[in-house]
Amino acid sequence: MRTLNIRPLLAAASILALTACGLEGTDSQEQETAQSSSDTSNDYGYQTYSDDNLADSMASNDDAADNAATRSGEGVSGDASNMGADNAIPDSEERPTMQLQVVLDRQGFGPGVVDGKMGMSTRHALSGFQEANDLEVTGEHDEATKEALAQYDGIAATRVVTIPDNWGDLEFTDMPESTADKAEMERLGYTSLDEKLAERFHTTVAVLKELNPGGKPAGMENDPADGAGEDASPEGENASSGEGSADTSKSFFTAGQQIRVPNVGADRIEPGAIQDRGWQMTLASLGVGTEQPQVDRIVVSKEGQTLKAYEGETLVAIFTVSSGSSEFPLPLGEWDIVGEAYNPPYSYDPEVLGNDDPDGKTYTLPPGPNGPVGIVWIDLSKEHYGIHGTPEPETIGRAQSSGCVRLTNWDAARLAQMVDTETQVIFET
């Protein structure tokens, strides 16, 4: 994605994140200040896991799982990677590929969308894990790789969570087609609770529905007396709409509902680590923690469709990317990072983008996860080029970009914490 006039705004990046973005974060900050009796840290505008982990209340609680494993002297079993009462519900089936994706994602080797399928992004993630562990790089889940991954066998593929009650107070809005109409919006937020939930767990709405047949976590007995089951569908009694509340009639899931999700982790947010409150809320909503390595070099491969991040000579992260097109090819060479913008607005200029726009008007689009550059812009010394997120995670690696390097929002958020202006950026064939 090529954009315009981002760099001048980055001269005051800290101001940009607060003033230009307005209602920063993944949903209206004012909306997310709604509290429930289960809140553990209501100073942060959303239901957090605990005082020492400012991830949301659906956090993986990896530390508790690790402590449990240490006490027992064994690997974490079943659903122990989230120690709450929700996880007394065992999954109805084993999900080996999803479990592999969850483990790789937690280690920084991004499989893209966690969907239980052995696709291109998962093979890239396997290749990254193999390179980092001095294994033969095959991109396959071969025996040597299985042996190296055996230490993570106790991490479950899924866990059961309860959607925070205060999500019922959020408002979701359909995205208009025209750029002019988008420019009139306050922000380009999520269109439904389902979409917000899918991005939180690095997956798709379709996968969440598969994990929750009839609106219940797979493995839960269907008891009609509890009011769940089919009524959790959009046409069921849990669907509601009206002024002052979320239009959940277009959502399959609802606030307060128990659901099964991919067991993504590495989502701990250390208190005091993030000064920008809006960015902190964004990280929480994406299930991305603050404990990230600081990298010296990132290498984007045009043909390989990957971004590799190195700490010294050690590969510590790999992500599948979309980069460039025939009209706007990836600018090969070495570049500098000149700044970052969290939850940035977007300057739309059809001339810069090469669009055949009859009116030729420029627009400033508001921030939000459904904006053209997603939730973060990492600005490069090559004018109009950067590394950024996307509103369409399923297209990463499968659709061209307008010259820039595009990642899923959750991978872009993770990468943004790894790099700074000292990080070397290399674009290669």
Side-chain angles (χ1 to χ4, degrees):
M1 178 70 66
R2 302 169 82 238
T3 189
L4 181 67
N5 292 335
I6 289 289
R7 190 174 297 105
L9 292 172
L10 280 163
S14 61
I15 298 176
L16 169 67
L18 295 174
T19 61
C21 290
L23 300 176
E24 71 276 27
T26 56
D27 283 291
S28 163
Q29 185 170 356
E30 181 180 354
Q31 298 262 353
E32 291 210 20
T33 56
Q35 303 296 315
S36 79
S37 59
S38 63
D39 287 351
T40 57
S41 183
N42 59 21
D43 182 48
Y44 289 90
Y46 57 90
Q47 293 166 249
T48 59
Y49 184 78
S50 66
D51 290 338
D52 61 356
N53 180 357
L54 300 183
D56 67 19
S57 59
M58 299 181 290
S60 63
N61 194 19
D62 291 332
D63 290 341
D66 291 342
N67 291 339
T70 299
R71 288 193 301 269
S72 66
E74 301 173 354
V76 182
S77 62
D79 291 311
S81 55
N82 185 282
M83 306 296 286
D86 282 340
N87 282 294
I89 306 168
D91 203 343
S92 61
E93 62 181 88
E94 294 184 357
R95 307 180 194 272
T97 303
M98 183 171 288
Q99 194 270 348
L100 172 64
Q101 291 175 324
V102 161
V103 168
L104 291 169
D105 186 70
R106 286 165 173 251
Q107 299 301 309
F109 306 106
V113 172
V114 178
D115 56 6
K117 300 176 182 178
M118 186 63 74
M120 173 186 64
S121 295
T122 302
R123 296 186 193 281
H124 287 166
L126 279 168
S127 295
F129 178 83
Q130 290 163 344
E131 179 180 336
N133 288 274
D134 296 323
L135 301 171
E136 181 183 0
V137 178
T138 65
E140 301 294 335
H141 196 201
D142 52 37
E143 288 304 316
T145 305
K146 289 178 182 178
E147 183 177 347
L149 287 166
Q151 61 184 309
Y152 306 111
D153 285 349
I155 295 177
T158 66
R159 67 178 184 265
V160 175
V161 301
T162 299
I163 302 173
D165 291 336
N166 64 356
W167 282 31
D169 298 318
L170 302 175
E171 292 183 2
F172 304 97
T173 307
D174 290 333
M175 285 295 111
E177 290 292 330
S178 77
T179 303
D181 288 340
K182 289 179 180 177
E184 295 297 318
M185 300 180 69
E186 284 190 290
R187 65 187 320 278
L188 300 178
Y190 292 118
T191 61
S192 67
L193 185 148
D194 291 356
E195 184 187 28
K196 177 178 171 68
L197 193 65
E199 190 138 291
R200 167 62 180 84
F201 292 101
H202 308 179
T203 190
T204 67
V205 175
V207 170
L208 290 177
K209 289 181 177 180
E210 291 173 5
L211 294 176
N212 296 275
K216 280 192 166 187
M220 176 183 281
E221 294 184 6
N222 191 6
D223 181 3
D226 66 11
E230 294 301 327
D231 283 344
S233 67
E235 292 76 29
E237 66 182 10
N238 288 328
S240 63
S241 62
E243 190 172 348
S245 64
D247 180 7
T248 55
S249 61
K250 60 186 177 184
S251 294
F252 184 81
F253 302 102
T254 61
Q257 180 180 353
Q258 273 188 319
I259 65 165
R260 186 170 296 283
V261 298
N263 190 23
V264 296
D267 52 12
R268 182 177 184 273
I269 297 179
E270 182 181 358
I274 304 296
Q275 300 305 310
D276 180 336
R277 184 66 55 82
W279 181 236
Q280 177 186 309
M281 292 170 62
T282 297
L283 294 179
S285 72
L286 292 170
V288 173
T290 55
E291 297 173 4
Q292 305 293 341
Q294 296 301 301
V295 302
D296 307 302
R297 171 172 50 105
I298 60 176
V299 180
V300 176
S301 169
K302 177 182 177 182
E303 293 183 3
Q305 296 179 296
T306 58
L307 183 153
K308 293 181 176 181
Y310 291 89
E311 187 175 9
E313 296 303 314
T314 302
L315 179 69
V316 295
I318 187 171
F319 308 113
T320 296
V321 301
S322 292
S323 58
S325 65
S326 57
E327 184 176 4
F328 299 114
L330 184 72
L332 303 181
E334 297 186 14
W335 309 101
D336 296 324
I337 293 175
V338 299
E340 295 181 359
Y342 305 138
N343 297 302
Y346 175 77
S347 296
Y348 171 85
D349 187 329
E351 182 177 352
V352 171
L353 292 169
N355 290 349
D356 186 15
D357 193 326
D359 63 22
K361 292 183 178 179
T362 61
Y363 298 95
T364 298
L365 303 185
N370 270 314
V373 295
I375 49 80
V376 69
W377 172 269
I378 301 173
D379 198 40
L380 300 179
S381 52
K382 173 69 172 175
E383 189 174 10
H384 303 316
Y385 285 82
I387 304 171
H388 60 83
T390 182
E392 300 176 321
E394 300 95 333
T395 67
I396 296 300
R398 294 175 172 82
Q400 295 180 329
S401 73
S402 296
C404 294
V405 177
R406 185 160 52 93
L407 305 88
T408 65
N409 276 336
W410 55 86
D411 286 341
R414 182 180 293 180
L415 178 66
Q417 298 181 85
M418 297 180 182
V419 302
D420 56 28
T421 56
E422 300 299 315
T423 304
Q424 182 185 23
V425 179
I426 301 172
F427 292 168
E428 62 183 26
T429 56

